[in-house]
Amino acid sequence: MERIAGYEPADAIPMLPPTLRGGPRKALRTVWDLVWMTMWPYGFVYAGLAALVWNVFTPAMERMERFAVGWIAEIYLRNVVLLLVSAGGLHLWLYVRRAQGKDYKYDYRWPRKRSRRFLWRSQTRDNMFWALTSGAFFWTAYEALLLWAYANDHIARVDWGDGPGWVVYLLAMTVVPFFLVTAWFYVTHRLLHTRPLYRWAHYLHHKNVNTGPWSGLSMHPVEHLLYFSTVLFFMVIPVSPFVVILTNLFTAMDPARGHCGFDRFEIGYGRTMPAGTYYHDLHHKYFECNYGLQVIPIDAWMGTWHDGSPEAHERMRARLEATRR
């Protein structure tokens, strides 16, 4: 399992897992840093977008009291448009126009134009197909189920106008989904790496070694069923429908950035901003490491944390060789 040539964020290697050790002040500082890292800038973008989607581009609750093709189709089409704008926009900028060349690209190779591994021998078309069909379907299905349940008072709901205390609660619950999605992602991802589910479903996502924006939601329907299931927690945790939409937006749209294949976006005048996730890119390159995400260091606790260093790579190789004996 050789290392693949590409950009490595040397200033961030080794990627150390966050820790709450060192006393209360250090623990609080770590928690604050994790919240800020999660929310700035993209968490705030998703929260703002979720507010817009909930207030402008979501059918009225009265219509959602009964399942009907009309309002569900509206949500599906809205979700498809959001994917086309997010994943499609990044693909156009980074891979069609190649606006920043290979600067900050994790894998210096461009995706192969033709490969039998993918539908129509095209990685992009294959990825788009799975994202826009199965991905958008399960995103819509979970959202429609929860909104229908809210419309019929089948599950508890909290709104911004319910009082100052509930406003504080909902502000906190605007942050919680990012960590909830991350924790649940680790659980479902490890499950998908068991031999039966990997061969049946997860192999499809891992056909993408040299990932691009559309790779993020390129999954088998079984994987989409698990991946989007985070919102089911809100059937027992009272929140606003806005929080459900925020959770789904983050779950559906952030993979385009996380799999874009670049560490930084060049935004002009010598400035850059965070782009992909080197931590998860290592998982796509080497498969048996970094099953979760950095903000909740479950991989460190389970011995599968790859910090990007040559030493970590050798430890991973030794661990895999030991399991094969």
Side-chain angles (χ1 to χ4, degrees), residues 140-152:
T140 302
Y142 278 117
E143 184 175 331
L145 174 64
L146 269 291
L147 292 176
W148 169 83
Y150 283 125
N152 289 280

Side-chain angles (χ1 to χ4, degrees), residues 130 134-135 138 142 217 219-228:
W130 292 110
S134 176
F138 280 99
Y142 278 117
L217 271 192
M219 303 175 186
H220 189 280
V222 170
E223 182 166 358
H224 281 134
L225 177 68
L226 294 171
Y227 179 69
F228 281 104

Side-chain angles (χ1 to χ4, degrees), residues 112-128:
R112 294 173 61 183
K113 291 290 185 180
R114 296 181 64 82
S115 173
R116 293 182 179 180
R117 303 175 69 185
F118 301 102
L119 295 175
W120 307 290
R121 297 190 177 186
S122 168
Q123 180 176 351
T124 300
R125 292 177 182 176
D126 175 284
N127 290 178
M128 289 182 67

Side-chain angles (χ1 to χ4, degrees), residues 102-216:
K102 296 182 179 180
D103 293 347
Y104 302 105
K105 193 173 188 307
Y106 294 136
D107 188 331
Y108 287 146
R109 302 169 299 176
W110 293 106
R112 294 173 61 183
K113 291 290 185 180
R114 296 181 64 82
S115 173
R116 293 182 179 180
R117 303 175 69 185
F118 301 102
L119 295 175
W120 307 290
R121 297 190 177 186
S122 168
Q123 180 176 351
T124 300
R125 292 177 182 176
D126 175 284
N127 290 178
M128 289 182 67
F129 171 78
W130 292 110
L132 295 174
T133 55
S134 176
F137 171 83
F138 280 99
W139 175 7
T140 302
Y142 278 117
E143 184 175 331
L145 174 64
L146 269 291
L147 292 176
W148 169 83
Y150 283 125
N152 289 280
D153 296 322
H154 291 321
I155 55 178
R157 171 179 172 178
V158 177
D159 285 311
W160 296 95
D162 289 347
W166 289 114
V167 170
V168 174
Y169 170 78
L170 285 175
L171 285 173
M173 292 306 296
T174 301
V175 176
V176 166
F178 297 98
F179 293 92
L180 183 61
V181 169
T182 299
W184 189 238
F185 172 72
Y186 179 88
V187 173
T188 58
H189 197 186
R190 282 310 300 259
L191 181 64
L192 286 162
H193 270 265
T194 58
R195 188 181 296 270
L197 282 177
Y198 187 92
R199 289 181 172 179
W200 183 25
H202 195 47
Y203 80 92
L204 191 150
H205 184 65
H206 269 291
K207 289 194 296 184
N208 299 283
V209 176
N210 190 3
T211 63
W214 284 109
S215 304

